Amino acid sequence: MVDRLESLLTHFAVHARMFHSGALCGLNEVPTLPDTGQLHLIKLGPVEVMHDGETPLHVVEPSLLLYPRPLKHRFVTDAKRGADLACANLHFDGGVANPIAAALPPVICAPLAQIEGADGVLSLLFDEAFNQRCGRQALVNRLFEVVLIQVLRHLMESGQIRSGMLAGMGHPKLRHALVAMHEQPAHEWSLEELADKAGMSRSVFANAFRDTVGLTPGAYLQNWRVSLAQQALRQGRSLKMIALEVGYGSEAALSRAFKVQSGLSPREWKQAQAI
């Protein structure tokens, strides 16, 4: 089976930093940061999770809460017994343009028992998070990142994401075409080639891709190429080299696609990022 997450995480890594471990009692407003998600691991509850204008989530078993983007929320727990949590901020490379963060719903709540293969990692994470040992912060940060990868794997394999890129990555046939585009963005992919990668006829592939991912294959490829170009611009790469690496024959061709996608030229976009 192709590794569906490898090319995504290679280009758009996710970094975690724990900011809380231990008990929370009563009402607690969770601080958020711009362009930063959060992963909360509830070891012992119950916990009521409140979002403005939404029905509260009632968590009664060990669970995780994943916020890929900033979202104001509050925890309500027993004023005396409280609840035990380990919480981390998540920085997705590329910020709001990160394709992984963009493909996820605003909040995901899942029992820890549903995350296949995570028992050992979670046990170690909680043990380290709730004790004071040398290297604790660095170790727990890495463990949060491992848990996030396991959550993404779970979401794809369980089919819980119904539309968008991750839904396509979970599709038994479409995922082959998506991985091909992710791994070889500079290739001039034709609809026939992508359909062949997926083992489908051209018309069936085109319809299934649009219905599942929400874009035509051509539009998705352009989005992916521009996302890679934005990431390379953040790293200070030259536009000429970027254009060749992501499949455009010239700076002008990349600039046109870039403006269609972002509404700005590469120069304007880079200046806006510096503000």
Side-chain angles (χ1 to χ4, degrees):
M1 180 185 294
V2 295
D3 190 334
R4 293 163 281 171
L5 285 174
E6 177 66 22
S7 55
L8 283 173
L9 293 171
T10 296
H11 293 292
F12 297 96
V14 185
H15 309 280
R17 182 167 183 82
M18 183 177 68
F19 67 89
H20 170 83
S21 63
L24 283 179
C25 299
L27 175 63
N28 288 270
E29 186 88 26
V30 183
T32 58
L33 297 172
D35 294 333
T36 302
Q38 292 182 331
L39 179 57
H40 305 294
L41 300 175
I42 302 170
K43 183 180 181 183
L44 181 65
V47 178
E48 185 178 79
V49 188
M50 303 181 69
H51 306 96
D52 290 344
E54 301 290 336
T55 302
L57 295 174
H58 296 278
V59 181
V60 296
E61 61 182 305
S63 299
L64 65 84
L65 288 161
L66 171 60
Y67 295 86
R69 299 170 293 281
L71 181 65
K72 185 178 179 180
H73 54 288
R74 299 179 294 280
F75 291 143
V76 182
T77 64
D78 185 271
K80 293 184 178 180
R81 296 194 309 273
D84 292 337
L85 296 91
C87 308
N89 286 320
L90 301 175
H91 173 73
F92 292 83
D93 283 1
V96 295
N98 182 288
I100 300 173
L104 292 167
V107 58
I108 292 168
C109 182
L112 296 180
Q114 289 185 2
I115 312 302
E116 185 178 352
D119 289 353
V121 175
L122 290 167
S123 178
L124 179 58
L125 188 153
F126 284 131
D127 182 54
E128 290 289 336
F130 296 153
N131 289 284
Q132 297 294 330
R133 298 190 181 104
C134 178
R136 165 181 174 266
Q137 181 76 53
L139 178 57
V140 174
N141 291 347
R142 300 293 86 74
L143 292 172
F144 265 106
E145 293 165 7
V146 172
V147 171
L148 178 62
I149 293 171
Q150 291 177 313
V151 171
L152 294 174
R153 180 191 296 166
H154 166 73
L155 291 172
M156 290 190 304
E157 294 180 350
S158 65
Q160 291 186 33
I161 304 297
R162 301 291 184 179
S163 62
M165 180 266 288
L166 286 179
M169 298 283 275
H171 191 284
K173 293 187 175 181
L174 295 179
R175 64 190 184 197
H176 297 288
L178 283 163
V179 170
M181 286 188 276
H182 291 165
E183 292 184 342
Q184 296 178 275
H187 183 75
E188 289 297 326
W189 291 106
S190 67
L191 187 61
E192 289 81 4
E193 284 180 301
L194 291 171
D196 185 61
K197 287 285 185 182
M200 305 167 76
S201 72
R202 175 179 168 177
S203 60
V204 171
F205 168 74
N207 290 331
F209 195 100
R210 185 181 61 252
D211 292 344
T212 303
V213 180
L215 297 169
T216 66
Y220 182 87
L221 180 58
Q222 176 174 285
N223 288 0
W224 176 246
R225 287 171 167 174
V226 172
S227 294
L228 293 177
Q230 290 174 338
Q231 191 76 326
L233 284 173
R234 291 188 188 94
Q235 297 165 358
R237 309 279 300 285
S238 73
L239 195 63
K240 181 177 181 180
M241 292 302 298
I242 295 170
L244 295 174
E245 290 173 2
V246 300
Y248 293 98
S250 66
E251 294 180 45
L254 172 57
S255 295
R256 287 193 295 271
F258 202 104
K259 192 157 189 174
V260 168
Q261 179 67 22
S262 67
L264 299 170
S265 70
R267 182 184 298 275
E268 292 168 338
W269 182 86
K270 193 171 182 179
Q271 290 173 343
Q273 300 302 302
I275 296 175

